[in-house]
Amino acid sequence: MPDIAAVKAALAAQRIETPSWGYGNSGTRFKVFAQPGVPRDPYEKLDDAAEVHARTGVAPKVSLHIPWDRVDDYAALGAYAKERGLELGAVNSNTFQEDDYRLGSVCHADPKVRRKAVDHLLECVDIMDATGSTDLKLWFADGTNYPGQDDITARQDRLAECLAEVYARLGEEQRMLLEYKLFEPAFYTTDVPDWGTAYAHCLTLGPKARVVVDTGHHAPGTNIEFIVAFLLREGRLGGFDFNSRFYADDDLMVGSSDPFQLFRIMHEVVRNGGLDAAANVAFMLDQCHNIEAKVPAVIRSVMNVQEATAKALLVDADALAAAQRSGDVLAANAVLMDAYDTDVRPLLRELREEQGLDPDPVAATLRSGRLERVAAERVGGAQAGWGA
């Protein structure tokens, strides 16, 4: 049976990175509903992230998105994060919001557009240098809508060339995390549509390039845990963009639609050493909170990842291995289900109390009156959000 002290130690050591854009106005492609108290700049986003970390104890990193989080002095932003008990995490690029990118960015047929896109990616590396961030996260909306619109192979060549230039600019401790997406906004071909394409480009680039798995970026029925296990085996899993989906890339709260899938993913992470510091896997949230209060939603999301991780850590590895060796299918499945069916909430409440935290982080932030105070203080100015 798992050692409960070891399980608690692993949970206490886990780190979950929250997204700056999760605190701003964000939502569906239909409508973004503004909320009172939403941050007006990246500094106020960090204030909200500090509240999440103070309540959970496991969320000290904040992902940035450029240009949404552009400031005049990134070193000052990094220093402010440190004052709030935080550090700046992955720097996310944006090559999908300008008219020049209508037919693509790094895969565009026009070398001038590709140059513009690459210069933006290099700017993101400069920001990493200034903030101390180690991860450059890349997602490209590039693709085509119609057969014959562009040369599929030539677009891969352009992609490889641009990635190679940016990769060469990375510092010794910096990484390139390449994300993939099945479709959207391109509907005929997407230039990085799946983990295999991302993995192939990372292999060519070198050891500082790794694949990011966004849990919402797959066709229905895709076995995401297989992808995770394979990439961990190859040493090429750079991290996750955790969220949930029902139909497409819904960016709902992680674990909200299929908590069993999240457990299966975390089981492969635990089984293959993905929680070890040496694996250097970034556990990041990538969510939009359109109809729910943002800070409580981020806290709840962190808790959902913790609960799935706790259940994965409670899998009886010896019993599972014995059942697998003997070919006992039912027994092997039962070991996993026993762990999944365990109510880990008392364990996590006990751990938080031992850490000096409130056992119920969401209730604690609601009781504190902070949400009402912030809503009253953050009046005037433009609220930060998509495109801010």
Side-chain angles (χ1 to χ4, degrees):
M1 292 294 293
D3 182 337
I4 296 302
V7 169
K8 283 185 175 180
L11 290 168
Q14 186 177 30
R15 295 294 177 261
I16 300 167
E17 191 167 326
T18 67
S20 68
W21 55 95
Y23 301 106
N25 284 324
S26 58
T28 68
R29 291 143 190 84
F30 165 67
K31 167 69 175 173
V32 174
F33 297 105
Q35 296 183 18
V38 168
R40 295 165 295 184
D41 56 45
Y43 289 90
E44 290 182 345
K45 291 179 181 180
L46 291 178
D47 290 338
D48 286 357
E51 172 71 6
V52 173
H53 181 46
R55 298 300 178 188
T56 64
V58 296
K61 280 193 172 186
V62 182
S63 301
L64 298 181
H65 201 296
I66 308 300
W68 302 344
D69 294 317
R70 187 169 278 148
V71 294
D72 293 331
D73 189 337
Y74 289 102
L77 186 67
Y80 186 80
K82 188 174 182 179
E83 291 172 7
R84 308 294 283 119
L86 304 170
E87 57 183 299
L88 299 180
V91 175
N92 293 254
S93 62
N94 182 320
T95 56
F96 52 85
Q97 281 197 312
E98 298 187 39
D99 288 345
D100 283 346
Y101 300 137
R102 181 171 62 91
L103 299 179
S105 60
V106 293
C107 299
H108 201 290
D110 187 341
K112 293 180 180 177
V113 176
R114 297 201 300 276
R115 184 70 260 159
K116 176 180 178 178
V118 170
D119 285 345
H120 169 66
L121 303 185
L122 295 174
E123 175 199 9
C124 288
V125 181
D126 291 339
I127 293 169
M128 293 166 63
D129 292 340
T131 61
S133 170
T134 58
D135 290 340
L136 172 67
K137 189 142 70 67
L138 306 178
W139 171 72
F140 300 109
D142 293 35
T144 64
N145 279 0
Y146 297 98
Q149 177 181 325
D150 201 355
D151 186 315
I152 293 174
T153 304
R155 292 180 73 87
Q156 290 296 312
D157 292 339
R158 299 168 200 152
L159 172 63
E161 180 181 354
C162 291
L163 290 178
E165 180 177 348
V166 178
Y167 185 88
R169 168 66 181 79
L170 294 175
E172 190 65 32
E173 301 300 322
Q174 294 174 338
R175 307 187 300 173
M176 175 185 289
L177 305 182
L178 183 57
E179 189 175 348
Y180 57 90
K181 190 172 185 179
L182 178 65
F183 77 100
E184 193 190 43
F187 293 106
Y188 174 60
T189 64
T190 302
D191 291 310
V192 190
D194 51 40
W195 70 273
T197 305
Y199 176 61
H201 280 286
C202 288
L203 283 181
T204 300
L205 288 166
K208 291 187 287 187
R210 294 193 181 187
V211 180
V212 168
V213 175
D214 186 306
T215 49
H217 286 190
H218 303 84
T222 298
N223 190 316
I224 300 175
E225 54 268 34
F226 171 84
I227 299 169
V228 169
F230 182 92
L231 292 173
L232 279 169
R233 179 179 181 273
E234 298 298 311
R236 289 288 178 159
L237 180 63
F240 292 93
D241 272 1
F242 278 128
N243 52 61
S244 280
R245 47 77 63 87
F246 285 102
Y247 300 109
D249 181 22
D250 303 330
D251 276 347
L252 299 174
M253 291 168 55
V254 58
S256 60
S257 63
D258 190 352
F260 185 46
Q261 180 190 64
L262 181 59
F263 162 75
R264 298 194 309 265
I265 290 170
M266 293 312 301
H267 167 63
E268 295 302 332
V269 169
V270 171
R271 163 70 180 79
N272 293 283
L275 288 183
D276 299 344
N280 201 14
V281 176
F283 298 94
M284 303 174 283
L285 303 181
D286 180 13
Q287 303 174 171
C288 298
H289 305 292
N290 195 27
I291 60 174
E292 65 269 28
K294 297 176 189 299
V295 169
V298 177
I299 293 174
R300 179 67 255 182
S301 300
V302 170
M303 294 170 66
N304 287 351
V305 176
Q306 287 183 295
E307 289 173 16
T309 305
K311 292 183 178 188
L313 288 164
L314 289 174
V315 172
D316 190 332
D318 293 337
L320 180 61
Q324 290 171 343
R325 284 194 302 269
S326 66
D328 193 333
V329 176
L330 292 178
N333 179 250
V335 171
L336 281 187
M337 294 309 300
D338 283 345
Y340 177 69
D341 289 336
T342 301
D343 185 356
V344 297
R345 291 174 298 175
L347 172 67
L348 285 163
R349 285 195 292 265
E350 183 178 300
L351 174 61
R352 293 184 187 112
E353 288 178 329
E354 291 172 358
Q355 295 175 312
L357 303 172
D358 191 289
D360 188 339
V362 172
T365 198
L366 293 177
R367 286 196 311 268
S368 71
R370 182 184 182 275
L371 299 183
E372 294 80 6
R373 184 174 68 256
V374 165
E377 292 173 351
R378 294 176 182 172
V379 176
Q383 292 180 318
W386 287 0

